[in-house]
Amino acid sequence: MTNPTITPYSPASLDPHSRETANHRRKLLIFQVGKLNLALPVEFVKKILHYMPMEGSGTTAVGLIHLGDQEITAIDLHKRLFKVSQTQIEGRQFLILAKNTIDEQFGILISQTPSLIDLPLSQIRTLPDSYRRADTLDMASHVTRVQHMEQLLTVFVLDVDRLVPPIGIGDFVF
């Protein structure tokens, strides 16, 4: 299979009804948080690292990770979604180092190895605004269904600008 050109991500670029995206595919990094299957478009993923301790007040789902000579905002999605911090599980844990649309880096803590999938845009649907307003998954913009080990999984595609809003876009509140 040849590697297709990936168009820059925006909620509009995932619209399967758009003529310019009709034949395109999207690569997604899928990971699990609790019982939810979440994904990031790969063009926003910089790398995956072994777990690093997150520092901060502990009262929110946001913390700080020291990475070389940089301080990176880290998000405990388990705490943000379920109001309970992800417990330290023995074994390997990971940090997805990603960026938003203005290249601000952030990290997402996960407890299992993520997977990479390549999907046609026609399989990725926009989430209804009413669902996002009513659910804790307001940070997701799209949804897809993926066959994985004899199971059909529902995967929510996260919007990086809703995880870490660019300056001036909105308040960073959890």
Side-chain angles (χ1 to χ4, degrees):
M1 171 169 27
T2 61
N3 237 352
T5 302
I6 298 176
T7 56
Y9 169 80
S10 72
S13 74
L14 286 177
D15 181 2
H17 303 295
S18 169
R19 249 188 258 167
E20 71 181 29
T21 61
N23 296 321
H24 289 260
R25 298 179 68 81
R26 176 69 67 217
K27 289 186 181 183
L28 299 173
L29 184 70
I30 296 179
F31 53 96
Q32 197 170 21
V33 175
K35 293 187 182 215
L36 290 174
N37 296 293
L38 305 175
L40 285 173
V42 294
E43 59 268 25
F44 292 107
V45 176
K46 295 184 63 97
K47 60 180 146 181
I48 299 167
L49 305 167
H50 291 287
Y51 173 79
M52 300 175 156
M54 185 169 91
E55 298 180 30
S57 67
T59 60
T60 67
V62 179
L64 193 64
I65 290 181
H66 304 286
L67 187 62
D69 61 351
Q70 296 180 1
E71 278 63 51
I72 307 291
T73 299
I75 303 167
D76 180 345
L77 284 179
H78 197 278
K79 185 169 186 170
R80 181 169 173 187
L81 293 167
F82 306 112
K83 309 298 183 215
V84 177
S85 186
Q86 183 172 307
T87 58
Q88 293 293 328
I89 302 167
E90 286 189 33
R92 301 178 75 174
Q93 290 195 348
F94 301 94
L95 173 76
I96 298 173
L97 188 60
K99 62 181 181 171
N100 64 9
T101 58
I102 61 165
D103 290 332
E104 179 181 355
Q105 292 186 69
F106 63 94
I108 298 174
L109 304 173
I110 59 172
S111 62
Q112 297 175 356
T113 307
S115 301
L116 185 64
I117 62 163
D118 187 23
L119 293 173
L121 284 177
S122 61
Q123 283 186 238
I124 302 171
R125 308 273 187 226
T126 302
L127 278 172
D129 286 335
S130 57
Y131 175 80
R132 287 198 330 262
R133 283 191 308 265
D135 194 80
T136 58
L137 275 170
D138 61 338
M139 69 194 94
S141 58
H142 292 77
V143 66
T144 188
R145 309 267 331 242
V146 177
Q147 191 71 37
H148 181 67
M149 291 194 237
E150 300 180 19
Q151 283 187 314
L152 187 59
L153 304 176
T154 298
V155 178
F156 294 93
V157 182
L158 301 177
D159 182 335
V160 294
D161 287 339
R162 290 186 186 178
L163 286 169
V164 179
I167 295 173
I169 297 282
D171 295 330
F172 193 66
V173 178
F174 292 105

